[in-house]
Amino acid sequence: MTSTVYCYRLSPDADYDALVSATDRLFEAGDFDQLFEAGDSVGVKLHFGEGDNDTHLRPSVVRSVVGKVTAAGGRPFVTDSNTLYRGRRSNSIDHLILAHEHGFSIDEVGAPVIIADGLLGNEQVEIPIEGKHYTKVRISAAGHHAKALIVLTHVTGHPSAGMGASIKNIAMGLSSRAGKLSQHSDMVPDVSEEKCIACGTCAEWCPVEAITVDEVAEIDEKKCIGCGECLAVCPNGAVTFSWSETNERLQEKMAEHALGVVVRKTGRIGFINYIYDVTKGCDCFNTRQDPVLKSLAVLASTDCVAVDKAAVDLINEHTHGDFFRKLNPHIAYDVQITHGEAIGLGTTHYDLVEVT
């Protein structure tokens, strides 16, 4: 099996007008208006960005997609799910306020914002799958009930999975809180006494109060849910995981939750990957990040495995190396891609079609 990936190349100094143009052309080239019928609800999935993050996708790109869905007779809504960790996206009230502050209002993008897993992250549907780790996964209710989905992904590095692209966007972003917890359940962190400065940042952000701080931070393994938030926020690099055991299982579980999203949407889901302002960390970081790759391309496909593999290949070709492995040398980031192919999520074999 071979999938088609459409590619719109960006100039090194491309701005957001170029991203909007790329989005318009790729929507048309990929026949994304055929993913839904008139009157269908169409979820436009993206990440609204944590509070001080400024490299997440902008409302102008979303407005472009919403406009095209509406013109084709669809009924779009903009969506993401709540997070495990503490912050302004951990419940729907604060999440919606943050989305509005970042410009994702109905006036700005032309469609309402609906948090996919409800007020507290527990509105979910169990989907049967055939996976290595699961026979069923828990997916956010709105993500499941939408007749079609168009997934907009800012490609980034990731502190736990190595890379964040379309697979990660739907695996984490469209699972319920219980689904996220299950994906992270094998990750048990450790604190280096030499590096820990007892600042308390990890305890402040721990969603289950599993961390106490005296001379060093101590993590209660019985309470820990393995969300990785302590790793992401530690300013001194004192938190580590047994990566050889945990990140591969995490990525396999991600791929299987992604399968739960797409398995009942055959022919009704499209993916757009933005290789623009690529940062080492994901958009969940509540801080400004300097891009490590400014502008390269926008990709579109109906196959999340193929579009992620194409993104990796284009970036590696452009940077003359294994880009994401250099960002996070301890993580074999491509497990999510190879396991996705193994379980039928998609294929790594693709034809790249240039769109101008």
Side-chain angles (χ1 to χ4, degrees):
M1 183 178 73
T2 301
S3 292
T4 300
V5 177
Y6 298 92
C7 175
Y8 187 107
R9 306 270 181 171
L10 298 171
S11 66
D13 60 348
D15 58 14
Y16 254 81
D17 287 340
L19 260 64
V20 172
S21 295
T23 303
D24 289 343
R25 291 292 295 115
L26 290 170
F27 191 101
E28 295 167 0
D31 291 327
F32 277 14
D33 59 348
Q34 300 302 305
L35 298 176
F36 53 90
E37 298 179 356
D40 281 353
S41 58
V42 181
V44 180
K45 168 68 178 77
L46 72 149
H47 189 306
F48 301 121
E50 197 53 75
D52 292 330
N53 180 280
D54 65 356
T55 46
H56 58 274
L57 292 177
R58 297 292 191 270
S60 57
V61 170
V62 181
R63 182 170 62 246
S64 170
V65 173
V66 166
K68 288 193 170 298
V69 171
T70 303
R75 296 186 297 125
F77 66 95
V78 181
T79 192
D80 195 9
S81 64
N82 291 314
T83 61
L84 271 179
Y85 57 83
R86 289 179 180 176
R88 297 185 62 193
R89 296 185 305 118
S90 63
N91 65 84
S92 289
I93 296 172
D94 295 329
H95 202 161
L96 286 168
I97 293 171
L98 176 62
H100 183 85
E101 290 175 357
H102 282 183
F104 299 99
S105 65
I106 191 169
D107 291 334
E108 182 66 26
V109 301
V113 176
I114 298 174
I115 303 304
D117 53 352
L119 183 64
L120 300 175
N122 59 354
E123 294 183 12
Q124 62 189 15
V125 179
E126 287 193 340
I127 306 298
I129 65 162
E130 295 182 8
K132 173 181 176 182
H133 302 282
Y134 301 101
T135 57
K136 58 185 178 182
V137 292
R138 286 164 286 194
I139 303 303
S140 62
H144 171 71
H145 291 305
K147 291 293 186 180
L149 290 170
I150 297 177
V151 181
L152 310 181
T153 303
H154 175 217
V155 177
T156 68
H158 192 273
S160 300
M163 177 187 74
S166 283
I167 294 173
K168 189 262 178 185
N169 193 4
I170 59 172
M172 294 289 183
L174 284 177
S175 61
S176 65
R177 187 183 298 274
K180 293 180 179 68
L181 175 58
S182 179
Q183 290 175 67
H184 287 99
S185 62
D186 294 310
M187 299 183 70
V188 179
D190 184 46
V191 178
S192 167
E193 293 185 7
E194 290 77 18
K195 292 183 178 181
C196 180
I197 59 174
C199 65
T201 303
C202 57
E204 178 184 352
W205 281 82
C206 178
V208 292
E209 300 182 354
I211 304 176
T212 56
V213 181
D214 191 5
E215 294 182 1
V216 296
E218 295 185 3
I219 300 174
D220 186 336
E221 294 186 6
K222 293 182 179 179
K223 291 184 178 180
C224 176
I225 60 173
C227 68
E229 186 63 18
C230 52
L231 171 74
V233 302
C234 178
N236 229 37
V239 181
T240 60
F241 288 89
S242 178
W243 292 109
S244 61
E245 298 177 2
T246 60
N247 86 81
E248 291 190 6
R249 286 176 63 86
L250 170 67
Q251 291 181 69
E252 288 175 353
K253 289 181 173 185
M254 282 169 46
E256 294 184 17
H257 278 76
L259 181 63
V261 173
V262 307
V263 70
R264 295 189 180 180
K265 284 189 169 55
T266 302
R268 293 187 285 120
I269 184 167
F271 302 90
I272 303 179
N273 276 357
Y274 295 83
I275 309 174
Y276 184 86
D277 280 352
V278 180
T279 51
K280 180 178 180 179
C282 60
D283 292 338
C284 295
F285 280 38
N286 187 26
T287 183
R288 184 185 181 278
Q289 302 179 73
D290 291 325
V292 290
L293 175 59
K294 175 60 181 173
S295 175
L296 184 57
V298 184
L299 305 173
S301 181
T302 55
D303 182 334
C304 60
V305 172
V307 78
D308 281 5
K309 181 64 164 60
V312 169
D313 291 345
L314 281 178
I315 293 172
N316 287 349
E317 178 184 359
H318 178 76
T319 60
H320 307 289
D322 196 342
F323 179 80
F324 290 107
R325 195 62 185 254
K326 289 179 179 178
L327 286 184
N328 293 287
H330 52 287
I331 304 178
Y333 65 88
D334 57 349
V335 170
Q336 57 191 286
I337 294 173
T338 56
H339 188 64
E341 183 171 44
I343 62 174
L345 179 61
T347 179
T348 58
H349 302 284
Y350 63 89
D351 293 324
L352 193 70
V353 177
E354 301 281 351
V355 176
T356 60

